[in-house]
Amino acid sequence: MNNRPIGVFDSGLGGLTAVKELRALLPQEDIIYFGDTGRVPYGNRSRETITRYAKQAASFLLSQNVKLIIAACGTVSSTVTDLTSLTNGAPVPCIGVVKPTCAAAVRATKNRKIGVIGTTTTIRSGSYQRELSHMTDGLEVYSRDCPLFVPLVENGFSSPDDPIPCLTAQRYLTSIRETGVDTLILGCTHYPLLHDIIAQVMGPKVALINSGRETALYAAQWLKENGLLQTNGGSTAFYVSDSTEGFSQLAQIFLGMKVEGSVQRIAIESYGA
């Protein structure tokens, strides 16, 4: 047993999809979440900038004595090829979203046609495509970047009744739907917040793979296998690099729980990169 918290970070709100799943899977665990809301989105930034931001996030989480770091960000997981480098030699494992998400997609597909959507940086990196090809032969993989999805989510435009995200999804996803994929990887942890809209466009026969959920399942199994589960916790603390009020309002909607009073703003630039 290990009573240290789990650390989770993302460019903004998207990683909350992983936190929600972790809370359901591991209700006795303490979780510390950092959302880099002052610098979101990461998806159109350079590799050097993304790596620096990720190292600062990891440095902050290490200062909180975490036992595991989850990079709940498709862009970071795709850009930083060696996630262990983020901890600067500290004996704390760091896992990303690409591998567990691809494994779930391979299990789900029946016609071996898989779609991948993500930020521009994620899609250009080819990380999901490479991981899928390493897992099995004979897959057809179709990818598309969806750069407006993250800003829409971060600004609260995620309702299936809202024409703005619906029209955006149609614009991005029609070409992938027409390829005949039966499985679609939501390669950014923001995207599950648009699940219902994406499902409407793709149709009922396409399985949507939630990267936040698959990563949470992977983390839970890893903690169990390594004897690091906690039994007497259950708290969640939130840290952001910008306004706490705006984050609290949106986080409450996406998590289904109140977060007022548990959100603090930090100067993330003060943490080593």
Side-chain angles (χ1 to χ4, degrees):
M1 301 301 171
N2 191 302
N3 292 331
R4 291 181 294 161
I6 300 168
V8 183
F9 77 89
D10 181 58
S11 62
L13 285 159
L16 293 175
T17 59
V19 171
K20 183 177 181 180
E21 299 294 343
L22 284 169
R23 284 264 60 94
L25 292 166
L26 303 171
Q28 300 303 313
E29 292 287 338
D30 293 325
I31 298 173
I32 294 178
Y33 179 81
F34 170 67
D36 198 0
T37 53
R39 303 187 294 199
V40 68
Y42 284 6
N44 57 0
R45 300 185 186 273
S46 69
R47 178 182 296 272
E48 292 75 20
T49 297
I50 293 166
T51 300
R52 175 163 55 88
Y53 288 175
K55 285 186 175 181
Q56 289 173 336
S59 178
F60 165 69
L61 291 174
L62 288 171
S63 76
Q64 303 300 302
N65 194 32
V66 298
K67 60 187 174 186
L68 171 68
I69 294 176
I70 300 175
C73 177
T75 299
V76 169
S77 300
S78 298
T79 303
V80 182
T81 53
D82 180 14
L83 289 173
T84 60
S85 67
L86 298 181
T87 62
N88 289 323
V92 176
C94 184
I95 64 175
V97 303
V98 175
K99 185 175 181 178
T101 304
C102 287
V106 170
R107 292 192 300 268
T109 186
K110 294 180 176 61
N111 69 4
R112 304 183 69 78
K113 293 183 178 182
I114 297 175
V116 182
I117 56 174
T119 66
T120 299
T121 297
T122 293
I123 297 304
R124 286 179 179 172
S125 76
S127 59
Y128 283 94
Q129 296 93 318
R130 284 194 302 274
E131 187 64 38
L132 288 167
S133 68
H134 291 158
M135 289 183 172
T136 185
D137 295 327
L139 293 177
E140 295 181 38
V141 181
Y142 303 89
S143 60
R144 174 66 197 261
D145 63 332
C146 305
L148 291 179
F149 276 0
V150 170
L152 285 171
V153 168
E154 291 285 332
N155 287 281
F157 292 94
S158 59
S159 170
D161 297 324
D162 190 323
I164 296 175
C166 290
L167 289 171
T168 304
Q170 289 174 8
R171 177 71 176 269
Y172 285 149
L173 302 177
T174 298
S175 60
I176 283 193
R177 184 189 64 214
E178 291 175 348
T179 65
V181 299
D182 71 349
T183 304
L184 180 67
I185 290 176
L186 309 186
C188 172
T189 49
H190 284 74
Y191 294 2
L193 304 176
L194 298 169
H195 178 280
D196 292 348
I197 295 172
I198 295 171
Q200 286 178 1
V201 176
M202 296 303 297
K205 295 183 179 180
V206 177
L208 304 185
I209 307 301
N210 180 332
S211 54
R213 173 169 174 74
E214 298 306 328
T215 303
L217 287 166
Y218 181 89
Q221 184 63 31
W222 186 91
L223 290 168
K224 180 179 180 180
E225 291 175 354
N226 287 273
L228 293 176
L229 291 173
Q230 185 175 356
T231 58
N232 59 352
S235 68
T236 308
F238 302 92
Y239 295 85
V240 295
S241 56
D242 203 355
S243 167
T244 60
E245 181 179 356
F247 177 87
S248 296
Q249 292 174 347
L250 288 172
Q252 182 171 332
I253 295 172
F254 297 132
L255 290 172
M257 57 180 278
K258 292 184 178 181
V259 300
E260 289 91 344
S262 59
V263 184
Q264 299 181 49
R265 182 176 181 177
I266 61 169
I268 191 61
E269 295 87 352
S270 66
Y271 290 87

